[in-house]
């Protein structure tokens, strides 16, 4: 995914913090609070798993897009950016997943 797409989406999600909850799905999520956002992420994660089990590529892509979108809403709600996640992934690049888990366990 292009970082430009993530940056543009982050800008829109940030702007939606000022939008009327009646006029914007994202603004309505923000207005409902963290629990509503987390619930939506859980729903999208479950739908992603179900789509993968169905084995239909287009459904998997659509559900992952929904999951990513809602995690981006969470990041914005928490005052975080997609770039911070990309930086963390970059930091982990080339590092064994087992080693990464060991490092996190000691922090």
């Amino acid at each position: 995914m292009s970082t430009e797409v993530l940056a543009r989406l982050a800008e829109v999600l940030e702007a939606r913090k000022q939008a009327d909850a009646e006029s914007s799905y994202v603004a309505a999520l923000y207005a409902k609070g963290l629990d509503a956002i987390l619930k939506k992420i859980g729903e999208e994660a479950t739908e992603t798993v179900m789509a993968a089990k169905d084995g239909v590529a287009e459904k998997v892509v659509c559900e992952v897009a929904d999951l990513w979108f809602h995690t981006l809403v969470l990041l914005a709600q928490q005052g975080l950016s997609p770039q911070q996640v990309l930086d963390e992934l970059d930091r982990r690049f080339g590092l064994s997943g087992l080693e990464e888990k060991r490092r996190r366990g000691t922090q």
Side-chain angles (χ1 to χ4, degrees), residues 54-76:
D54 289 345
V56 179
E58 295 82 14
K59 287 174 66 175
V60 173
V61 169
C62 287
E63 294 303 339
V64 169
D66 288 346
L67 179 58
W68 285 12
F69 176 82
H70 287 90
T71 59
L72 291 169
V73 171
L74 173 66
L75 287 174

Side-chain angles (χ1 to χ4, degrees), residues 16 23 32 41-42 47 54 57-58 60 67 76 82 92 101:
R16 292 298 189 269
S23 68
K32 291 177 186 174
I41 290 170
E47 290 173 7
D54 289 345
E58 295 82 14
V60 173
L67 179 58
R92 294 179 187 185
K101 281 188 167 198

Side-chain angles (χ1 to χ4, degrees), residues 5 13-14 17-18 26 33 35 42 44-46 48 51 55 79 83-84 93 101 107:
V5 172
L13 294 176
E14 194 62 34
K17 289 180 179 179
Q18 309 307 318
V26 172
D35 286 345
E44 297 302 344
T46 299
T48 298
Q83 189 59 52
Q84 289 172 274
F93 196 82
K101 281 188 167 198
Q107 293 178 352

Side-chain angles (χ1 to χ4, degrees), residues 7-33:
R8 284 192 343 250
L9 188 50
E11 287 177 17
V12 170
L13 294 176
E14 194 62 34
R16 292 298 189 269
K17 289 180 179 179
Q18 309 307 318
D20 179 6
E22 297 289 320
S23 68
S24 164
Y25 170 74
V26 172
L29 270 179
Y30 289 145
K32 291 177 186 174

